[in-house]
Amino acid sequence: EPEVTQTPSHQVTQMGQEVILRCVPISNHLYFYWYRQILGQKVEFLVSFYNNEISEKSEIFDDQFSVERPDGSNFTLKIRSTKLEDSAMYFCASRRGAGGSLANEQFFGPGTRLTVL
Amino acid sequence: AQKVTQAQTEISVVEKEDVTLDCVYETRDTTYYLFWYKQPPSGELVFLIRRNSFDEQNEISGRYSWNFQKSTSSFNFTITASQVVDSAVYFCALSEAGYGGATNKLIFGTGTLLAVQP
């Protein structure tokens, strides 16, 4: 069964460093998402991406964040200069879109735990 | 604005008890989707169910059942004969229909931690 994959599973970085979190969505999916979950809190929407551009972003997704789909398979989230409060689990998700029973279901990756020291 | 409320922060039951997790949502959309996800201690999000707003039929899947009541904006989740492996955080989520520029982003509740004691 196809699944969303994310690498690395755990990333430790120093404050102020840049990090890139990688995701490989399911191959025939058209819509891509990043979510964040600070430890012990709820899952929060960061950004959605469709047709090679951002379709919506939340207030959390400020200028320090960017997303890219560089090669048609990977979907990356870059944090330019990490802060302590960026420590969280980051989930990637993809959705097929179009019609059919699974069109609106988001499939989540296993997450990347980011620790900023 | 869309909002999902899970008033129960933590529930503790003994194995074989039935337990119901509450979810109340707010949306101005007439067409929307409701979801339940399970997050075990390992951290991944496991999809359990999706419900369309125009389908109020309740659903049963094994020991799991869901009660969707549009009149009270609730989408409650019941586990029958709970087991230790059911111990996890359960999240209810809402998304809009996805047309007119909407992105189908998921709005999550704060989650309910279910602890099933042996």
Side-chain angles (χ1 to χ4, degrees):
Chain A
E1 189 174 312
E3 57 183 21
V4 177
T5 59
Q6 289 186 245
T7 53
S9 56
H10 192 184
Q11 172 98 44
V12 181
T13 190
Q14 295 290 327
M15 192 169 59
Q17 295 296 304
E18 174 183 287
V19 294
I20 297 176
L21 309 183
R22 291 185 167 77
C23 168
V24 179
I26 294 172
S27 62
N28 63 344
H29 285 194
L30 303 175
Y31 298 81
F32 313 108
Y33 305 83
W34 283 101
Y35 293 84
R36 179 183 84 173
Q37 185 183 30
I38 294 171
L39 186 63
Q41 299 187 22
K42 69 178 179 180
V43 180
E44 302 173 287
F45 167 76
L46 288 179
V47 65
S48 59
F49 192 85
Y50 169 70
N51 201 25
N52 281 320
E53 59 183 24
I54 290 174
S55 45
E56 186 174 354
K57 58 184 180 179
S58 71
E59 292 173 355
I60 304 167
F61 195 88
D62 61 22
D63 292 344
Q64 292 299 313
F65 292 88
S66 62
V67 289
E68 198 177 32
R69 190 156 158 79
D71 56 13
S73 61
N74 290 286
F75 178 50
T76 61
L77 173 69
K78 183 194 289 187
I79 308 175
R80 211 178 325 276
S81 177
T82 50
K83 303 189 276 275
L84 294 176
E85 53 265 38
D86 293 327
S87 293
M89 179 79 96
Y90 288 82
F91 291 102
C92 173
S94 69
R95 177 173 71 89
R96 190 179 71 197
S101 61
L102 295 178
N104 292 303
E105 183 181 327
Q106 290 184 30
F107 292 80
F108 281 83
T112 292
R113 182 166 297 286
L114 176 65
T115 302
V116 183
L117 302 175
Chain B
Q2 296 178 322
K3 186 178 175 184
V4 176
T5 301
Q6 295 179 257
Q8 303 151 308
T9 307
E10 199 169 327
I11 300 176
S12 182
V13 299
V14 176
E15 216 172 11
K16 297 199 176 104
E17 282 185 33
D18 298 348
V19 58
T20 295
L21 309 181
D22 297 333
C23 173
V24 174
Y25 62 92
E26 293 174 34
T27 179
R28 284 181 293 202
D29 292 343
T30 53
T31 304
Y32 50 89
Y33 302 94
L34 295 163
F35 303 80
W36 276 95
Y37 286 88
K38 174 181 180 180
Q39 187 174 46
S42 50
E44 72 271 25
L45 287 168
V46 179
F47 167 80
L48 295 177
I49 190 171
R50 183 199 66 203
R51 215 77 193 122
N52 305 331
S53 56
F54 44 86
D55 181 2
E56 281 194 77
Q57 259 192 327
N58 291 327
E59 182 155 337
I60 298 174
S61 176
R63 296 185 297 108
Y64 295 169
S65 61
W66 291 270
N67 184 349
F68 178 26
Q69 297 273 347
K70 228 168 164 175
S71 59
T72 55
S73 296
S74 65
F75 185 44
N76 296 338
F77 172 31
T78 297
I79 302 175
T80 304
S82 59
Q83 299 175 2
V84 172
V85 293
D86 295 327
S87 297
V89 179
Y90 291 85
F91 289 98
C92 180
L94 165 73
S95 82
E96 56 204 346
Y99 36 72
T103 60
N104 279 80
K105 67 176 184 283
L106 288 170
I107 306 297
F108 284 83
T110 49
T112 297
L113 172 61
L114 173 65
V116 181
Q117 310 296 335

